[in-house]
Amino acid sequence: MPAAEEVKSSWADEVELEGGTTLPAPTEVYENGFKVVTEYKINDDEKKVKIVRTYKIEKRIVSKSIAVRKTWKKFGECSNDKPGPNPATTIVAEDVYMQYITSKEEDNKQEEDALDKLKALGDKTVVKCRKCNGEHWTSKCPWKDTTLAGGKIDDKKPTPMGVGPGAGDANKPGVSKYVPPGMRDGASKRMDGPNMQRRDDQTAIRIANLSENTTDADLEELVKRFGPIVKIYLAKDKQTGQCKGYAYIHYKFKCDAAKAISMLNGHGYDHLILTVDWSKPQNPNQ
Amino acid sequence: MKPLMLQGHERAITQIKYNREGDLLFSSSKDNKPNVWYSLNGERLGSFNGHQGAVWCIDVDWTTTRFLSGAGDNTCKIWDCETGKEIGNIVTNSSVRTCMFSYSANMAVYTTDKAMKQPCEMFIIDVRNVDESISHQDPILRIPINGPRVSSILWDNLDESIITGHENGEIITWDLKTGKKMNSVKEHDSLINDMQWNKDATMFITASKDHTAKLFDAESLALLKTYKTERPVNSAAISPIAEHVVVGGGQDAMDVTTTSARVGKFDSRFFHMVFEEEFGRVKGHFGPINSVAFHPDGKSYSSGGEDGYVRVHNFDSSYFEYNLDY
């Protein structure tokens, strides 16, 4: 194990070292419960790369048999490995979360509702006025000769809250609307992976500008009054454990999330003013 | 949770197993070197070098002194856990598909495949004193299996009987005093890939190619619960602390390249043991999961996949706080 002094070389030495072709020797430093391993490499572009790995050293009290096994010498393929995990064989993978499937029945209900609606619509006569979208032939449209009819043709998507006779009909556009394959009945099962992802994102909010001293408990206290929560993620510094200033909250229901946004955005919390918005997907392509 | 990815194998993982205390995790793969890892930090303790073919099955005894492995090179080997040295080698007529130490580790069982004009057979051997002579010792019991081959095995009832899972989905209990069948059921339609005990060995869970995992009572072989998925199930395990079951699987390895990971369903699925309802999923592998195991303290679990990685997951606090609404 190299002594700590080796690392504290003066900057001038380091500059000289960089000038040469030799790479600095890898170092291992133990300080306040962390092991810092520094390695130097030349990457594919022939540039020098410094790799710093920080390991937390933990002491655990275990039964005797386990403690004895911890002192066993390495054998086989890794008989030459140093103590501690070898980065070639042990990798800390990306964060993964357990996706909870809580609102299963709710989902089914929604699907059924949508299906029922479609079925109900299917029973009705498939006649649609090209002018006002009403359920009658275009030639028999009562608004045939008025300006309103002309206006309707232009904006193909009448706003549901629009005024005039077309407004009531616009709420049932399913009469002859194209249904994408993914939304058709029976397709829901195939889509279930990506669907879940989307649902996850839709009920998630992002809270920013939290103070450093915020803890998980504080955050939970703040957000739980708006409704049931699926997941809370408070970004924390790996080493100090202090809050990094933002958090993601996954609510069970979207309306609760919306409520939380409207109530908490601009709300003063611990001498700071919170910024709360919908969580945006990390990469929209997925 | 941040999983630890253990990258010690060059080919698909076939089985992973914790020792009794859970501080060591053993893994075997179709490359010929089983590995052992510290489960806490993912550090590799060693590899058992000596097999010439795919290692199909592994087991470790109660005191973690000896390690058993069976491979496609027609051998079954016994190793010293501390040094990784081979202490016993048994040459068989065909590849060894399953092996397991008995509860006391006085005996071990292994089964051979029906291949190369050899029948499927089950051997029970004495492993109290293992040395080179074990290769020409006669087994205590040699039971020919007439019919479909054994694909998974468990010791039952404090070493008095053995439960075997077969290629056609049949489960048979064997009495070791007589070497005869005691009981048999056929609840699965296809190959049983894996069987694992619950903590007190009163129930066991089977994982079958017929897309289901099933929970059985050990004594009567009564079917208790069924966990349904859409893909072949390769492995299933029961949590030692909660009424949870983890199921790993995915489509057949041969179809993997033609489908994306998203539709391949390569996630570990968590079911409630009693209500048979799936409540959670964990993604991560790029191929089907071949083996899953719970840590004996129930606070973490591991999965080994066709992609050659073993992933060790420590559960988040949300998992322990989770309650199924019913």
Side-chain angles (χ1 to χ4, degrees), chain A residues 60 65-66 69-70 72 74-78 84 88-91 93-96 98-101 192 252, chain B residues 1-3 5 7 19 21 23 38 42-43 45-47 49 82-84 270 279-281 318-319 325:
Chain A
R60 296 209 177 193
S65 53
I66 298 178
R69 283 201 282 276
K70 195 71 200 165
W72 283 358
K74 295 188 179 183
F75 56 86
E77 294 294 293
C78 51
T89 53
T90 307
I91 302 159
E94 268 177 52
D95 242 345
V96 291
M98 187 177 270
Q99 288 182 321
Y100 291 103
I101 307 166
D192 121 284
K252 199 163 172 184
Chain B
M1 47 193 165
K2 269 203 191 322
M5 218 156 71
Q7 201 179 9
N19 65 344
E21 287 103 335
D23 60 321
Y38 289 109
E43 184 180 349
L45 172 62
S47 63
N49 300 357
E82 186 178 344
T83 58
F270 286 78
F279 68 86
R281 281 181 196 183
S318 66
Y319 169 81
D325 322 330

Side-chain angles (χ1 to χ4, degrees), chain B residues 53-324:
Chain B
V55 181
W56 293 115
C57 51
I58 51 171
D59 196 27
V60 60
D61 73 345
W62 171 267
T63 54
T64 322
T65 48
R66 281 172 301 170
F67 173 71
L68 180 69
S69 63
D73 59 353
N74 301 353
T75 61
C76 184
K77 287 182 196 286
I78 297 166
W79 312 77
D80 181 37
C81 273
E82 186 178 344
T83 58
K85 295 252 161 56
E86 181 184 320
I87 49 177
N89 182 26
I90 302 158
V91 177
T92 57
N93 290 328
S94 58
S95 63
V96 180
R97 186 59 60 160
T98 65
C99 66
M100 198 176 183
F101 278 115
S102 70
Y103 190 76
S104 59
N106 287 343
M107 291 181 284
V109 65
Y110 64 90
T111 64
T112 57
D113 267 359
K114 188 158 86 182
M116 300 184 284
K117 291 181 187 161
Q118 299 294 333
C120 175
E121 280 181 303
M122 178 158 72
F123 297 86
I124 287 127
I125 51 171
D126 186 337
V127 289
R128 277 175 295 186
N129 301 303
V130 181
D131 48 33
E132 292 104 48
S133 67
I134 197 162
S135 52
H136 46 259
Q137 270 171 18
D138 283 334
I140 303 174
L141 202 61
R142 180 174 178 163
I143 305 172
I145 313 276
N146 301 313
R149 73 169 168 89
V150 177
S151 53
S152 52
I153 205 157
L154 285 177
W155 281 88
D156 184 23
N157 203 12
L158 294 173
D159 305 349
E160 289 188 356
S161 52
I162 281 177
I163 301 171
T164 52
H166 292 256
E167 199 175 25
N168 65 343
E170 210 175 353
I171 297 169
I172 300 175
T173 313
W174 303 86
D175 182 16
L176 290 191
K177 287 196 186 105
T178 57
K180 296 263 158 54
K181 275 187 204 181
M182 288 205 295
N183 197 355
S184 82
V185 289
K186 191 174 181 301
E187 299 283 1
H188 279 294
D189 301 327
S190 187
L191 179 97
I192 297 174
N193 277 310
D194 185 32
M195 301 201 291
Q196 290 193 31
W197 285 117
N198 69 340
K199 197 186 177 188
D200 51 12
T202 50
M203 298 181 286
F204 63 93
I205 189 164
T206 57
S208 167
K209 219 175 155 186
D210 67 0
H211 304 190
T212 60
K214 289 182 178 180
L215 189 71
F216 289 90
D217 178 63
E219 204 182 339
S220 61
L221 294 188
L223 174 64
L224 301 173
K225 298 286 170 190
T226 303
Y227 312 97
K228 285 196 190 95
T229 72
E230 307 86 57
R231 305 282 160 168
V233 181
N234 291 335
S235 187
I238 304 170
S239 167
I241 54 166
E243 281 170 334
H244 294 166
V245 159
V246 60
V247 162
Q251 63 206 132
D252 279 338
M254 57 189 290
D255 302 327
V256 166
T257 48
T258 55
T259 35
S260 81
R262 188 180 290 165
V263 295
K265 319 245 180 200
F266 302 141
D267 16 19
S268 322
R269 293 152 161 242
F270 286 78
F271 285 81
H272 193 278
M273 188 166 85
V274 180
F275 300 108
E276 305 175 342
E277 195 166 319
E278 184 182 351
F279 68 86
R281 281 181 196 183
V282 177
K283 286 185 185 169
H285 282 287
F286 301 112
I289 293 172
N290 284 342
S291 188
V292 290
F294 262 106
H295 191 285
D297 71 3
K299 289 176 184 159
S300 67
Y301 87 99
S302 300
S303 54
E306 190 75 19
D307 55 7
Y309 294 115
V310 177
R311 293 169 71 93
V312 183
H313 309 76
N314 285 300
F315 290 118
D316 288 333
S317 57
S318 66
Y319 169 81
F320 301 108
E321 288 154 15
Y322 181 81
N323 284 311
L324 194 78

Side-chain angles (χ1 to χ4, degrees), chain A residues 186-210:
Chain A
S188 54
K189 258 190 194 137
R190 240 183 305 141
M191 288 286 287
D192 121 284
N195 240 351
M196 252 169 35
Q197 190 69 48
R198 207 170 58 215
R199 189 181 59 210
D200 257 2
D201 288 347
Q202 276 181 350
T203 61
I205 64 170
R206 181 184 198 272
I207 303 184
N209 210 21
L210 286 162

